[in-house]
């Protein structure tokens, strides 16, 4: 089986202006940092981003928002990124808010060829504006349409050369759904192993849906920044 491990230059060739890109970085805590930093340098424009949040100004998709490379964002909240808030109020960033469970289900629908999902979440609120509403057995539901992207950019803990991905604890986040909902799937990984070294129980994203693997050369984080801060605080409290 051919190796899917590629260089940064090969990855950067896949990104250009006006693409829809999914980011599986979960508030920037589990981000493809090496690739995102190089995208900032490349300065592509007009990104339609799909991410669970707007990241933070110095983490994840937040770096691209700060650089004004993102024109729209479908997300569940922007609480950790005041720059995204300011851009939204200034009319510089178009944001569609989607409840977190609905957000995940829309991506799953996009990955598995479904026409959308029905949910009562958001009925009677601003969330229902512009959406089709159906009444089934006397209960109202919103039809939420699927989400799909040109590229899914995710970060995994381990990969083998064929492209099977493994995640440490909850760093998997929404990555396994996003990997099915994009035309091109690029994974930045902390550790590369040979084919056969990952056991079946370790594989959360199978190789056939992964197109490119990049082994990060920056800081290796087996613990996300938020956990590092909490760990340091707890250890400090023991002293």
């Amino acid at each position: 089986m051919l190796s899917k491990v590629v260089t940064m230059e090969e990855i950067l060739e896949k990104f250009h202006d006006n693409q829809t890109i999914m980011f599986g970085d979960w508030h920037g805590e589990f981000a493809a940092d090496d690739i995102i930093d190089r995208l900032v340098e490349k300065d592509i424009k007009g990104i339609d981003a799909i991410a669970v949040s707007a990241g933070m100004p110095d983490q994840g998709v937040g770096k691209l928002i700060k650089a004004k490379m993102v024109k729209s964002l479908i997300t569940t909240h922007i609480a950790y990124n005041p720059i995204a808030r300011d851009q939204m109020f200034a009319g510089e960033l178009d944001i569609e808010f989607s409840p977190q469970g609905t957000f995940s289900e829309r991506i799953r629908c996009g990955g598995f060829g479904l026409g959308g999902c029905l949910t009562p979440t958001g009925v009677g609120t601003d969330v229902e504006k512009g959406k089709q509403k159906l009444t089934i057995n006397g209960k109202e539901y919103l039809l939420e349409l699927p989400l799909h992207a040109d590229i899914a950019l995710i970060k995994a803990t381990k990969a083998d050369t064929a492209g099977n991905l493994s995640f440490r604890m909850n760093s998997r986040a929404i990555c396994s759904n996003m990997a099915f909902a994009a035309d091109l799937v690029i994974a930045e990984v902390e550790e590369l192993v040979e084919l056969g070294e990952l056991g079946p129980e370790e594989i959360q994203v199978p190789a056939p849906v992964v197109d490119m693997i990049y082994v990060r050369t920056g800081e290796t984080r087996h613990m996300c920044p938020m956990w590092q801060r909490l760990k340091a605080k707890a250890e400090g409290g023991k002293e």
Side-chain angles (χ1 to χ4, degrees):
M1 184 175 292
L2 295 176
S3 172
K4 293 179 181 177
V5 180
V6 298
T7 65
M8 177 67 76
E9 287 66 32
E10 290 174 291
I11 286 173
L12 293 176
E13 288 176 358
K14 302 297 183 181
F15 291 90
H16 53 77
D17 293 351
N18 303 314
Q19 288 178 312
T20 299
I21 305 174
M22 288 183 175
F23 297 88
D25 60 28
W26 201 259
H27 318 313
E29 298 288 351
F30 306 108
D33 296 301
D34 284 10
I35 296 174
I36 288 175
D37 286 343
R38 291 294 300 274
L39 288 178
V40 171
E41 294 176 8
K42 187 172 181 178
D43 194 30
I44 59 175
K45 300 295 185 182
I47 296 172
D48 292 306
I50 300 172
V52 74
S53 79
M56 302 183 195
D58 60 346
Q59 289 183 205
V61 67
K63 295 179 181 179
L64 303 175
I65 292 172
K66 182 179 180 180
K68 295 190 175 182
M69 297 164 59
V70 178
K71 71 177 180 182
S72 73
L73 173 66
I74 300 176
T75 188
T76 70
H77 73 91
I78 60 173
Y80 297 137
N81 193 342
I83 293 176
R85 175 203 61 202
D86 293 344
Q87 289 184 10
M88 178 182 69
F89 287 133
E92 299 171 349
L93 177 62
D94 181 23
I95 296 184
E96 176 189 339
F97 291 103
S98 183
Q100 197 162 107
T102 302
F103 176 81
S104 179
E105 188 66 8
R106 291 174 69 189
I107 293 173
R108 190 184 71 85
C109 288
F112 289 89
L114 303 178
C117 61
L118 295 176
T119 175
T121 304
V123 171
T125 73
D126 286 347
V127 172
E128 77 172 32
K129 291 181 179 179
K131 296 176 181 175
Q132 186 176 352
K133 188 188 298 185
L134 290 84
T135 301
I136 301 174
N137 294 329
K139 187 172 182 178
E140 291 185 321
Y141 296 86
L142 299 180
L143 173 61
E144 295 281 1
L145 299 179
L147 295 176
H148 193 273
D150 299 308
I151 298 176
L153 180 58
I154 60 182
K155 185 258 182 184
T157 306
K158 289 183 183 181
D160 62 25
T161 54
N164 292 300
L165 304 182
S166 178
F167 301 84
R168 183 175 185 265
M169 301 173 70
N170 66 348
S171 66
R172 176 180 179 181
I174 201 167
C175 291
S176 52
N177 279 349
M178 287 184 170
F180 285 88
D183 295 333
L184 182 73
V185 178
I186 300 173
E188 180 176 310
V189 304
E190 293 187 355
E191 183 179 348
L192 182 69
V193 298
E194 293 300 320
L195 181 62
E197 290 188 42
L198 291 177
E201 73 285 353
E202 295 180 89
I203 297 172
Q204 283 94 29
V205 174
V209 301
V210 179
D211 298 290
M212 306 177 84
I213 297 291
Y214 172 77
V215 184
R216 68 188 302 168
T217 58
E219 176 191 8
T220 298
R221 289 206 308 258
H222 293 290
M223 185 179 294
C224 74
M226 184 180 296
W227 293 349
Q228 290 174 359
R229 293 191 293 270
L230 291 173
K231 181 174 182 289
K233 182 178 180 181
E235 290 175 345
K238 294 176 182 178
E239 296 177 358

